[in-house]
Amino acid sequence: MNPRLTFAIAALSATTLFSCHHTDAPSSSSDAQLDSLRNGIAFIPTVNITVDGRTYNVADIEDEAHVYRNDAKPEQCFIVISKREYRLYVYEADSDTALIAHFPICYAKNPEAKERGGDMRTPESTMASPFRISQIQPADFWCHDFSDGRGPILAYGNWFLRLDTPGFTGIGIHGSTNNEASVPGRDSEGCIRMRDADLCTLHDKFVTIGTPVIIKGINEMKLPFEQRAQQQTGDAYCPPRKGNPLAQTATPADSTAHTN
């Protein structure tokens, strides 16, 4: 692991952890704060859609990947995954923290932090104690049985970026072969699912063994360094939109559990 990156992550956590775990209450002041950050942190509700007989709980289906810089050094990069935005962000920790890329993602069916195996939740981590990529495995021949009548199908894309998640096994970042309609949204059993082409971009350009991965909870807002890095991209930044173009309302579970 690059010592400079370890130091940078530690320095960022020391100055930003105070804002990691709070929920925005519905009020005019919180609405103003959201507007001031260009809606980049607004909770995105989900809707159910059916594609080829399979139902997916999806977010903004028109959200796309965006690469801001191609010259980042993988050994200096780290990942922040936002359940709130259904996005994976790549940052580079150098003299200043720069936003390098973002990609839409799908995570577990249940949005809360993982507590035990089989609970259909994605585990969460912090800047102070990030997960790390422990293995990078070819996965283009891996199959999975979703118990929905399709039988074992190709489901992982080209790569499985296995995460060191203390207390849990089998968690990683992978593709969405035969399930791309689920990205972005909530459909996995605990892993982070990406579109296959986006996974290849992430693998080829931005990660290595030891890359830190922070997974933020659904109520966690952008950290100060994320706000600065986003602002530095200027008009190039593409914030996720509230809601899904296929529907005007959230699913009942989302509309009762969260506030826009």
Coordinates of all heavy atoms in Angstrom, one line a residue, residues 12-48:
L12 N -7.5 12.9 5.8 CA -8.9 13.2 5.4 C -9.9 12.7 6.4 O -10.8 13.4 6.8 CB -9.3 12.5 4.0 CG -8.7 13.2 2.8 CD1 -8.9 12.3 1.6 CD2 -9.3 14.6 2.6
S13 N -9.7 11.5 7.0 CA -10.6 11.0 8.0 C -10.6 11.9 9.2 O -11.6 12.1 9.9 CB -10.3 9.5 8.3 OG -9.0 9.4 8.9
A14 N -9.4 12.4 9.6 CA -9.3 13.2 10.8 C -10.0 14.5 10.7 O -10.5 15.0 11.7 CB -7.8 13.5 11.0
T15 N -10.2 15.0 9.5 CA -10.9 16.3 9.3 C -12.3 16.2 8.9 O -13.1 17.1 8.9 CB -10.1 17.1 8.3 OG1 -10.1 16.4 7.0 CG2 -8.7 17.4 8.7
T16 N -12.8 14.9 8.5 CA -14.1 14.8 7.9 C -15.1 13.9 8.6 O -16.2 13.9 8.3 CB -14.0 14.4 6.4 OG1 -13.4 13.1 6.3 CG2 -13.3 15.4 5.6
L17 N -14.6 13.1 9.5 CA -15.4 12.1 10.2 C -16.6 12.7 10.9 O -17.6 12.1 11.1 CB -14.6 11.2 11.1 CG -13.9 10.0 10.4 CD1 -13.1 9.2 11.5 CD2 -15.0 9.1 9.8
F18 N -16.4 13.9 11.4 CA -17.5 14.5 12.1 C -18.8 14.6 11.3 O -19.9 14.7 11.9 CB -17.1 15.9 12.6 CG -17.0 17.0 11.5 CD1 -18.1 17.7 11.1 CD2 -15.8 17.1 10.8 CE1 -18.0 18.6 10.1 CE2 -15.7 18.1 9.7 CZ -16.8 18.8 9.4
S19 N -18.7 14.6 10.0 CA -19.9 14.7 9.2 C -20.4 13.5 8.5 O -21.2 13.5 7.6 CB -19.7 15.8 8.1 OG -18.6 15.3 7.3
C20 N -19.9 12.3 9.0 CA -20.2 11.1 8.4 C -21.5 10.5 8.7 O -22.1 9.8 7.8 CB -19.1 10.0 8.7 SG -17.6 10.2 7.8
H21 N -22.1 10.7 9.8 CA -23.3 10.0 10.2 C -24.4 10.9 10.7 O -24.6 10.9 11.9 CB -22.9 8.9 11.3 CG -22.0 7.9 10.8 ND1 -22.4 6.8 10.1 CD2 -20.6 7.7 11.0 CE1 -21.4 6.0 9.8 NE2 -20.3 6.6 10.3
H22 N -25.0 11.6 9.8 CA -26.1 12.4 10.2 C -27.2 12.3 9.1 O -26.9 12.0 8.0 CB -25.8 13.8 10.4 CG -25.4 14.6 9.2 ND1 -24.1 14.5 8.6 CD2 -26.1 15.4 8.4 CE1 -24.1 15.3 7.6 NE2 -25.2 15.8 7.4
T23 N -28.4 12.5 9.5 CA -29.6 12.4 8.6 C -30.1 13.8 8.3 O -30.3 14.6 9.3 CB -30.7 11.6 9.2 OG1 -30.1 10.3 9.5 CG2 -31.8 11.4 8.2
D24 N -30.4 14.2 7.1 CA -30.9 15.5 6.8 C -32.4 15.5 7.1 O -33.1 14.7 6.5 CB -30.6 15.9 5.3 CG -31.1 14.8 4.3 OD1 -30.9 13.6 4.6 OD2 -31.6 15.2 3.3
A25 N -32.8 16.4 7.9 CA -34.3 16.5 8.2 C -34.9 17.4 7.2 O -34.3 18.3 6.7 CB -34.4 17.1 9.6
P26 N -36.2 17.1 6.9 CA -36.9 17.9 5.9 C -37.2 19.3 6.5 O -37.9 19.5 7.5 CB -38.2 17.1 5.7 CG -38.4 16.3 7.0 CD -37.0 16.0 7.4
S27 N -36.6 20.3 5.9 CA -36.8 21.7 6.3 C -36.3 22.6 5.2 O -35.6 22.2 4.3 CB -35.9 22.0 7.6 OG -34.6 22.0 7.3
S28 N -36.7 23.9 5.3 CA -36.3 24.8 4.2 C -34.8 25.0 4.2 O -34.2 25.2 3.1 CB -37.0 26.2 4.4 OG -36.7 26.7 5.7
S29 N -34.1 25.0 5.4 CA -32.7 25.1 5.4 C -32.0 24.0 4.8 O -31.0 24.1 4.1 CB -32.2 25.3 6.9 OG -32.6 24.2 7.7
S30 N -32.5 22.7 5.1 CA -31.8 21.6 4.4 C -32.0 21.6 2.9 O -31.2 21.2 2.2 CB -32.4 20.3 5.0 OG -33.7 20.1 4.7
D31 N -33.2 22.0 2.5 CA -33.5 22.1 1.0 C -32.5 23.1 0.4 O -32.0 22.9 -0.7 CB -34.9 22.6 0.8 CG -35.9 21.5 1.1 OD1 -35.5 20.4 1.2 OD2 -37.1 21.9 1.2
A32 N -32.2 24.2 1.1 CA -31.3 25.2 0.6 C -29.9 24.6 0.5 O -29.1 24.9 -0.4 CB -31.3 26.5 1.5
Q33 N -29.5 23.8 1.5 CA -28.2 23.2 1.5 C -28.1 22.3 0.3 O -27.0 22.2 -0.4 CB -28.0 22.5 2.8 CG -27.8 23.4 4.0 CD -27.6 22.7 5.3 OE1 -28.0 21.5 5.4 NE2 -27.1 23.3 6.3
L34 N -29.1 21.5 0.1 CA -29.1 20.6 -1.1 C -28.9 21.4 -2.4 O -28.1 21.0 -3.2 CB -30.4 19.8 -1.1 CG -30.6 18.7 0.0 CD1 -31.9 18.0 -0.2 CD2 -29.5 17.8 0.1
D35 N -29.7 22.4 -2.5 CA -29.6 23.2 -3.7 C -28.2 23.8 -3.9 O -27.6 23.9 -5.0 CB -30.6 24.4 -3.7 CG -32.0 23.9 -3.9 OD1 -32.2 22.7 -4.4 OD2 -33.0 24.6 -3.5
S36 N -27.6 24.2 -2.8 CA -26.3 24.8 -2.8 C -25.2 23.8 -3.3 O -24.2 24.2 -3.8 CB -25.8 25.4 -1.5 OG -25.6 24.4 -0.5
L37 N -25.5 22.6 -3.1 CA -24.5 21.5 -3.6 C -25.0 20.9 -4.9 O -24.6 19.8 -5.2 CB -24.4 20.5 -2.5 CG -23.6 21.0 -1.2 CD1 -23.7 19.9 -0.1 CD2 -22.2 21.3 -1.6
R38 N -25.9 21.6 -5.6 CA -26.3 21.2 -6.9 C -27.0 19.8 -6.9 O -26.9 19.0 -7.9 CB -25.1 21.2 -7.9 CG -24.3 22.5 -7.9 CD -23.0 22.3 -8.7 NE -23.3 22.1 -10.1 CZ -22.3 21.8 -11.0 NH1 -21.1 21.7 -10.6 NH2 -22.6 21.5 -12.3
N39 N -27.7 19.5 -5.9 CA -28.5 18.3 -5.7 C -27.6 17.0 -5.8 O -28.2 15.9 -6.0 CB -29.6 18.3 -6.8 CG -30.6 19.3 -6.6 OD1 -31.0 19.6 -5.4 ND2 -31.2 19.9 -7.6
G40 N -26.4 17.2 -5.6 CA -25.5 16.0 -5.7 C -25.6 15.1 -4.6 O -25.0 14.0 -4.6
I41 N -26.3 15.4 -3.5 CA -26.4 14.6 -2.3 C -27.9 14.2 -2.0 O -28.1 13.7 -1.0 CB -25.8 15.3 -1.1 CG1 -26.4 16.6 -0.9 CG2 -24.3 15.4 -1.3 CD1 -25.9 17.3 0.4
A42 N -28.8 14.6 -2.9 CA -30.2 14.3 -2.6 C -30.5 12.8 -2.6 O -29.9 12.1 -3.4 CB -31.1 15.0 -3.6
F43 N -31.3 12.4 -1.7 CA -31.7 11.0 -1.7 C -32.4 10.7 -3.0 O -33.3 11.4 -3.4 CB -32.6 10.6 -0.5 CG -33.1 9.2 -0.6 CD1 -32.3 8.2 -0.3 CD2 -34.4 9.0 -1.0 CE1 -32.7 6.9 -0.4 CE2 -34.9 7.7 -1.0 CZ -34.1 6.6 -0.8
I44 N -32.1 9.6 -3.7 CA -32.7 9.2 -4.9 C -33.6 8.0 -4.7 O -33.2 6.9 -4.3 CB -31.6 8.8 -6.0 CG1 -30.6 10.0 -6.2 CG2 -32.3 8.4 -7.3 CD1 -29.5 9.6 -7.1
P45 N -34.9 8.2 -4.8 CA -35.8 7.1 -4.6 C -35.7 6.0 -5.7 O -35.1 6.3 -6.7 CB -37.2 7.8 -4.6 CG -37.0 9.0 -5.5 CD -35.6 9.4 -5.2
T46 N -36.3 4.9 -5.4 CA -36.3 3.8 -6.4 C -37.7 3.4 -6.8 O -38.6 3.7 -6.1 CB -35.5 2.6 -5.8 OG1 -36.2 2.2 -4.6 CG2 -34.1 2.9 -5.6
V47 N -37.8 2.8 -8.0 CA -39.0 2.3 -8.5 C -38.8 0.8 -8.9 O -37.7 0.4 -9.2 CB -39.6 3.1 -9.6 CG1 -39.9 4.5 -9.2 CG2 -38.6 3.1 -10.8
N48 N -39.9 0.1 -9.0 CA -39.8 -1.3 -9.5 C -40.1 -1.3 -11.0 O -41.1 -0.7 -11.4 CB -40.8 -2.2 -8.8 CG -40.4 -2.5 -7.4 OD1 -39.2 -2.6 -7.1 ND2 -41.4 -2.6 -6.5

